[in-house]
Amino acid sequence: MSSRRSHSRQSGVSRNITDDQITDLVAKLQQLIPEIRNRSSDKVSASKVLQETCNYIRSLHREVDDLSDRLSNLLATTDSDSAQAAIIRSLLIKAHPLFFTKLCFFKTSLKVVETTWVRSCFC
Amino acid sequence: MNSKRFSPTSSTIKSRFTRRFLRALLKINRQRTRTPSSPMEICQRYLKVKLAADVSMASAVGSRRAWSRAMLAKIRHGVRAGSTTSLAMRKRKIYHGKKSTKEVGIVGNAKVLRKLVPGGEAMDTCSLLDETFHYIKCLSTQVKVMTRIADQLCST
């Protein structure tokens, strides 16, 4: 009997902690969703936040689908070599901006070394 | 100190995703045939790009998040089963989505959210909301990066 009472008390306490955590997480989500963030600072119900979250995730999925479609069409229509070059350029600049600067410097110095070696071979 | 200055800064999820996705696009571009594409080939290429985006994002996050682990497991399982089922699965997902928007309240919406977030069905509500928060941030990063890449390819 006492174990049952203590169990119900424990479950009540754990439910309160979970409710607080859920409230905090719902507030976090509220800040992330542009629909709710742009509205006035009125309190929004948790179910409304979840509903808007679902709508926002669906719209993001649709955007990714559209962008994948657009990218695959671009790959199909642009010339293979220029597409390859554009992708490699993006890879170097976006992923490693400092590396790209280093590479340019390295390429220039390599050219100087190459010309010097060729000259030394034929002189 | 010089090496610290020139070594790549701590890689963020955004930069890891960008690198992996661009490498995957290079691979897809190399596989292109010279003959004009059939509708089947166009569809296949679209699916490859979409899969590359999902795989790049999930592997950029790694196994730190439950949603990325679930997504990678689903992709591995889907690759073994064959990619022809993916279109049918997407259509089924859309149908289920339309049906379940009639449910109201927190419980109903949480149910819908579980279907949208990868691995959501196995999570409790607290973890679900936490994973959703991270998932949305990663999805919006994915959209931003893909938009920039598409604009870059457009301008060439």
Side-chain angles (χ1 to χ4, degrees):
Chain A
M1 199 79 77
S2 59
S3 60
R4 215 185 293 167
R5 224 181 287 154
S6 63
H7 174 73
S8 66
R9 207 183 302 133
Q10 273 176 15
S11 63
V13 168
S14 63
R15 213 183 298 130
N16 280 335
I17 291 170
T18 319
D19 279 349
D20 286 341
Q21 282 178 321
I22 288 179
T23 317
D24 286 340
L25 287 165
V26 167
K28 258 170 82 179
L29 276 174
Q30 207 170 322
Q31 291 307 308
L32 204 57
I33 304 198
E35 284 276 318
I36 302 176
R37 204 177 51 215
N38 295 337
R39 283 188 200 155
S40 58
S41 56
D42 294 345
K43 252 193 166 182
V44 187
S45 70
S47 70
K48 183 73 180 166
V49 170
L50 287 180
Q51 198 181 339
E52 291 299 329
T53 310
C54 295
N55 292 338
Y56 188 51
I57 291 179
R58 279 196 207 103
S59 73
L60 284 171
H61 283 167
R62 271 197 301 271
E63 274 197 65
V64 169
D65 282 348
D66 290 343
L67 281 165
S68 305
D69 194 28
R70 190 180 158 200
L71 277 169
S72 72
N73 285 336
L74 280 169
L75 285 179
T77 50
T78 51
D79 171 36
S80 171
D81 290 332
S82 55
Q84 202 97 327
I87 294 169
I88 292 172
R89 210 182 307 131
S90 307
L91 195 64
L92 289 171
I93 295 172
K94 282 178 185 138
H96 294 286
L98 284 174
F99 174 71
F100 183 66
T101 330
K102 268 180 87 182
L103 183 68
C104 287
F105 175 73
F106 178 69
K107 273 172 82 175
T108 335
S109 49
L110 187 65
K111 260 191 179 165
V112 168
V113 167
E114 205 181 310
T115 355
T116 325
W117 179 78
V118 165
R119 263 194 224 145
S120 67
C121 280
F122 287 102
C123 288
Chain B
M1 209 183 302
N2 273 339
S3 61
K4 239 191 190 175
R5 205 179 151 200
F6 285 115
S7 65
T9 53
S10 59
S11 56
T12 57
I13 291 176
K14 186 177 178 182
S15 62
R16 286 201 297 269
F17 165 68
T18 312
R19 269 201 306 274
R20 285 162 209 253
F21 184 55
L22 285 170
R23 279 196 205 121
L25 281 182
L26 271 177
K27 222 181 186 180
I28 294 169
N29 191 44
R30 268 185 230 128
Q31 289 166 359
R32 205 164 56 157
T33 55
R34 286 174 191 270
T35 53
S37 311
S38 61
M40 187 66 175
E41 258 184 50
I42 295 169
C43 186
Q44 291 280 352
R45 198 184 311 122
Y46 156 72
L47 289 173
K48 276 184 194 166
V49 172
K50 186 164 179 345
L51 184 71
D54 289 339
V55 168
S56 308
M57 181 44 86
S59 52
V61 172
S63 54
R64 280 171 285 171
R65 284 280 160 178
W67 71 262
S68 58
R69 289 195 297 268
M71 189 185 263
L72 286 170
K74 194 168 76 168
I75 288 167
R76 274 188 218 119
H77 178 75
V79 163
R80 277 193 219 119
S83 57
T84 47
T85 55
S86 61
L87 265 171
M89 278 169 71
R90 212 180 303 124
K91 284 185 184 156
R92 218 185 302 144
K93 210 201 276 183
I94 295 167
Y95 173 71
H96 275 298
K98 279 191 184 153
K99 208 176 162 182
S100 52
T101 44
K102 289 185 185 159
E103 295 187 53
V104 292
I106 296 177
V107 173
N109 284 315
K111 236 185 186 180
V112 176
L113 197 59
R114 274 176 215 282
K115 290 192 182 133
L116 288 171
V117 175
E121 268 133 27
M123 296 175 201
D124 60 295
T125 316
C126 238
S127 322
L128 176 70
L129 294 178
D130 194 33
E131 293 291 319
T132 308
F133 181 76
H134 193 262
Y135 183 56
I136 290 178
K137 279 172 83 174
C138 289
L139 271 180
S140 40
T141 308
Q142 190 179 22
V143 164
K144 278 182 205 153
V145 170
M146 285 172 80
T147 313
R148 278 181 74 183
I149 294 173
D151 292 341
Q152 183 100 359
L153 275 178
C154 248
S155 62
T156 50

